[in-house]
Amino acid sequence: MLDERDRKILDMLQRDATIAVSDLAERVALSVSACSRRIQRLEEAGYIERRIVVLNREKIGLPTTVYALVKTAHHTDEWTEEFRRAIGDIAEIVEAHRLTGHYDYILKIVLPRVEHYDVVYRRLVRRLELFDVTASISMETMKAGSAVPVDYAV
């Protein structure tokens, strides 16, 4: 069971995983050793999956985001696993979700420029038979981030 301090620790770490344990401990009113033990417990319990660095996409030459909506006529477990492998092999596909509704999947693709989408598209359709792919170019990121609310954590 998580308490309010655990939730604060989770919230602060997901916003800045580089925060010093001493700073974090001070902000949640704990000793450094107690805070460190809580972090370790949260990691062992699976609340913290991993710690990552978020890169500046402009600086590394990937300013363009394309969302591809994919429809397939295949829904077998084997096809789904092959789709998983195919998208896993394409580094530009940074996120993928299986959907309800008209389309089966949505892919978030990061690119150096919009013209590079064709390269990614061709790599994907060489490996899989797709019924329909519709792509939309993101014109502006209005909200981005990976932080999730911690209020629901139990």
Side-chain angles (χ1 to χ4, degrees), residues 59-73:
K59 294 239 184 222
I60 63 167
L62 293 168
T64 305
T65 304
V66 171
Y67 291 92
L69 290 161
V70 176
K71 187 186 282 191
T72 180

Side-chain angles (χ1 to χ4, degrees), residues 52-62:
I52 63 169
V53 171
V54 178
L55 302 178
N56 180 315
R57 289 186 29 213
E58 292 278 336
K59 294 239 184 222
I60 63 167
L62 293 168

Side-chain angles (χ1 to χ4, degrees), residues 5 29 34-35 39 49 61 73 79 87 107 116 130 136 143 146 151:
R5 282 190 176 131
C35 186
I39 293 168
E49 286 187 21
W79 189 94
I87 61 175
L107 310 176
H116 192 76
L130 302 174
S136 295
K143 182 178 180 180
S146 58
D151 301 341

Side-chain angles (χ1 to χ4, degrees), residues 61-101:
L62 293 168
T64 305
T65 304
V66 171
Y67 291 92
L69 290 161
V70 176
K71 187 186 282 191
T72 180
H74 305 283
H75 299 281
T76 65
D77 290 343
E78 295 79 19
W79 189 94
T80 302
E81 284 309 308
E82 182 55 33
F83 182 70
R84 244 184 247 282
R85 283 190 293 278
I87 61 175
D89 291 343
I90 301 172
E92 294 89 346
I93 300 174
V94 296
E95 203 169 311
H97 299 269
R98 193 164 58 92
L99 305 173
T100 63

